[in-house]
Amino acid sequence: MTVNTDAVTRDWNGLTIPTPGTYLLDAAHKRVGFVARHMMVSKVRGEFTEATATITVAEDPLASSVSATIQAASLTTAQGDRDAHLCSPEFLDVETHPTLEYRSTGVKSQNGNEFVLSGELTIRGVTRPVDLAVEFECVCRS
């Protein structure tokens, strides 16, 4: 992540967390992956290779927010025919809807460094609530 503040970390509830500020997703260290069932039998794993995200860490970490944009056409499952089908109008329709968007609406502390990030995910122009289980691991430098 890239930080736009001078100080790097602080303590909060026994965790070392970033100081308030705006952080950008480090493209070299990210993976936006998914697992989906194929015909209710096997799992298909894939990822989106192009995505950006901004994390705004608030003074109260539970008031922080995340916004992410995923380039739909960057989908890959390592199987070209399947990828083309998933990008087609039958599924993601990347020509009409080039991005998937996630905007957080809240953060709840679960246990230690585990949190639930509530938000809204928009795919093909349809927005639905989505909760993400997240775990914070600081590899920060003081």
Side-chain angles (χ1 to χ4, degrees):
M1 295 185 157
T2 305
V3 64
N4 297 336
T5 60
D6 294 328
V8 179
T9 64
R10 62 187 166 135
D11 290 324
W12 179 78
N13 288 355
L15 292 175
T16 300
I17 65 170
T19 56
T22 300
Y23 298 79
L24 304 176
L25 182 68
D26 179 353
H29 296 94
K30 64 103 178 104
R31 181 173 187 278
V32 179
F34 62 87
V35 177
R37 288 245 179 237
H38 174 67
M39 304 207 41
M40 304 306 289
V41 177
S42 62
K43 292 180 180 178
V44 173
R45 288 173 173 74
E47 70 180 297
F48 293 93
T49 60
E50 296 178 33
T52 58
T54 300
I55 302 169
T56 302
V57 176
E59 188 64 42
D60 173 0
L62 299 179
S64 299
S65 63
V66 175
S67 64
T69 300
I70 300 167
Q71 299 302 313
S74 73
L75 176 141
T76 181
T77 63
Q79 208 282 327
D81 290 342
R82 177 173 45 218
D83 296 349
H85 189 212
L86 291 173
C87 288
S88 76
E90 193 171 344
F91 286 95
L92 291 178
D93 193 5
V94 302
E95 293 294 322
T96 306
H97 304 282
T99 62
L100 292 78
E101 306 284 337
Y102 183 82
R103 302 288 176 260
S104 68
T105 56
V107 182
K108 295 179 193 138
S109 180
Q110 289 292 91
N111 183 20
N113 64 337
E114 297 174 2
F115 299 84
V116 173
L117 183 65
S118 298
E120 297 179 335
L121 178 64
T122 302
I123 301 174
R124 289 182 56 131
V126 177
T127 302
R128 299 262 198 273
V130 172
D131 286 346
L132 301 174
V134 297
E135 183 178 342
F136 181 74
E137 293 183 14
C138 183
V139 290
C140 310
R141 291 170 274 131
S142 295

